[in-house]
Amino acid sequence: MWLGVFTTFLAFSFVFPFLPIFIGRDLHVAARSVPLWSGIVGGAAGAALAVTSPLWGMAADRWGRKGMLLRAMISGCILVALMGFSQNVYELAAIRFLQGGLTGIVAAATALVAAETPRPRVGWALGVLSSGIASGTAIGPFIGGLIGAAFGMRRTCIAAGVLLLLATIPVIVMVRERPLRNASEPSPPAIALLRSHPGAVRAVAVLVLIQGLIAFGYNSTQQLVVIRLLRLAPTNVATLTGIAFGLSGLAAAAAGIAYGRVAGRKGYRWTAIAGGLGFSASILVMAIAPSWTVVVGMMGVFGFLYGSLSPTASSMLGLEAPRAIQARVFGIGASSLAVGSSIGPISCGAIASATNPTIGLIVAASSALVIAGLMLTVGREPGTPALS
């Protein structure tokens, strides 16, 4: 699974960090409209994913999680390649919308790993999975930047599609899934959660909301950092974007392994609180940074904090959800992630177009601050009694 998601996000990262550049240079969108259209294109996939994720989660619980993962990967392969044939920004947004509706790779992979891992090791396993995602995200921008500079973004999209097809091979050949029990009559999520232990429904609701806020802050920041680099260093923006996103991904990969030790000593709840505070602070620094060097360097810090915060929330969600409905719970979580991924880039992109990227980043930082507040006031350690 690590190899599969590593290759998948290596391919995705060939393209997605450079979408604002693709929109401005290849699709000839006016510079003043690039932040807005970057937000629309970035959020289009999230809008569709928000609707379809719970449905794919239900299908996974009934018919198998491995099959849903392969469906998502093959769909991604086709649609990322098609992005290279976009003739205008409307076509690009439409392809991204279809991609969101038909993929959902993170939720599918997370549900499969969580279901097949002994519960005491769920946190560790999801951290390893997160490190695969982050490692691919780290290396992808370096390679994608080189391919884009040499052959153009259109051919880079096609190369990413081919690599996504190759990513299915280790999943098909090596991944095994236990037979599903009572697959023909799955229990309703709310009833199963209530039967598991007191307070689980409330805990899951808080974690689902937090996942949406993480996606809001993360995706908004990524697109606006590229806009900031376009203004701070326009001649070297492709190279600097690759370096910045590479540092972010490498740091996130390291955090995906290391966070488990911190959570084991301090608890998941306090790890999430500290991560939310640091996540917000790192975005704020990039919002007011006076030079591209600070922005690029801070992307490493931003990636490390995201790389610890995201698997912490996923691990808590997996520990709260019974195995029989884990895919559905992760599907609901993915829907929240998708809403955040959609609303964040669109709203912050619109704010940046109306004002400047700094204001948009401040809004993203505020959403990250709410994560810490929610976990402090109404969050709980998985498996403990609900807070009064």
Side-chain angles (χ1 to χ4, degrees), residues 194-387:
L194 286 170
R195 289 174 177 172
S196 62
H197 49 276
V201 172
R202 174 179 169 178
V204 166
V206 170
L207 291 168
V208 165
L209 177 57
I210 284 174
Q211 286 194 314
L213 290 168
I214 292 171
F216 184 104
Y218 181 70
N219 288 280
S220 301
T221 300
Q222 283 194 314
Q223 74 163 26
L224 291 176
V225 162
V226 179
I227 304 297
R228 284 226 74 199
L229 290 174
L230 271 169
R231 298 188 178 185
L232 292 172
T235 57
N236 298 316
V237 64
T239 301
L240 293 177
T241 298
I243 293 171
F245 279 77
L247 285 174
S248 177
L250 288 172
I257 299 296
Y259 94 98
R261 296 181 181 178
V262 177
R265 291 196 303 266
K266 304 296 184 181
Y268 287 103
R269 179 169 172 255
W270 284 106
T271 302
I273 292 170
L277 291 172
F279 193 51
S280 176
S282 67
I283 299 171
L284 187 60
V285 170
M286 288 189 287
I288 61 176
S291 68
W292 64 263
T293 55
V294 177
V295 174
V296 170
M298 190 53 61
M299 278 292 285
V301 179
F302 169 77
F304 185 87
L305 292 163
Y306 170 77
S308 59
L309 184 59
S310 180
T312 296
S314 294
S315 297
M316 295 174 77
L317 196 61
L319 291 169
E320 295 284 5
R323 181 179 183 269
I325 61 160
Q326 272 185 331
R328 268 173 288 178
V329 171
F330 279 117
I332 295 169
S335 183
S336 179
L337 284 167
V339 170
S341 299
S342 177
I343 294 175
I346 292 173
S347 60
C348 291
I351 291 168
S353 288
T355 56
N356 57 67
T358 295
I359 302 300
L361 284 167
I362 290 172
V363 173
S366 300
S367 72
L369 191 62
V370 175
I371 295 169
L374 277 172
M375 191 55 68
L376 182 65
T377 55
V378 295
R380 71 170 187 174
E381 192 69 15
T384 60
L387 299 176

Side-chain angles (χ1 to χ4, degrees), residues 13-88:
S13 297
F14 277 16
V15 176
F16 296 147
F18 306 100
L19 281 179
I21 302 171
F22 182 53
I23 289 168
R25 294 183 178 175
D26 292 80
L27 301 182
H28 311 295
V29 173
R32 66 180 180 277
S33 299
V34 167
L36 176 60
W37 275 108
S38 297
I40 292 172
V41 169
L49 189 60
V51 176
T52 59
S53 284
L55 302 177
W56 292 129
M58 291 174 64
D61 282 332
R62 177 165 293 195
W63 294 300
R65 299 170 179 95
K66 179 179 175 180
M68 289 299 104
L69 175 60
L70 288 171
R71 182 265 314 153
M73 295 174 76
I74 292 170
S75 298
C77 155
I78 295 168
L79 292 165
V80 169
L82 283 176
M83 288 170 58
F85 297 93
S86 301
Q87 297 302 305
N88 54 61

Side-chain angles (χ1 to χ4, degrees), residues 41 44-45 79 86 88-100:
V41 169
L79 292 165
S86 301
N88 54 61
V89 74
Y90 305 104
E91 292 180 4
L92 181 63
I95 292 170
R96 286 280 291 156
F97 185 82
L98 286 173
Q99 181 194 336

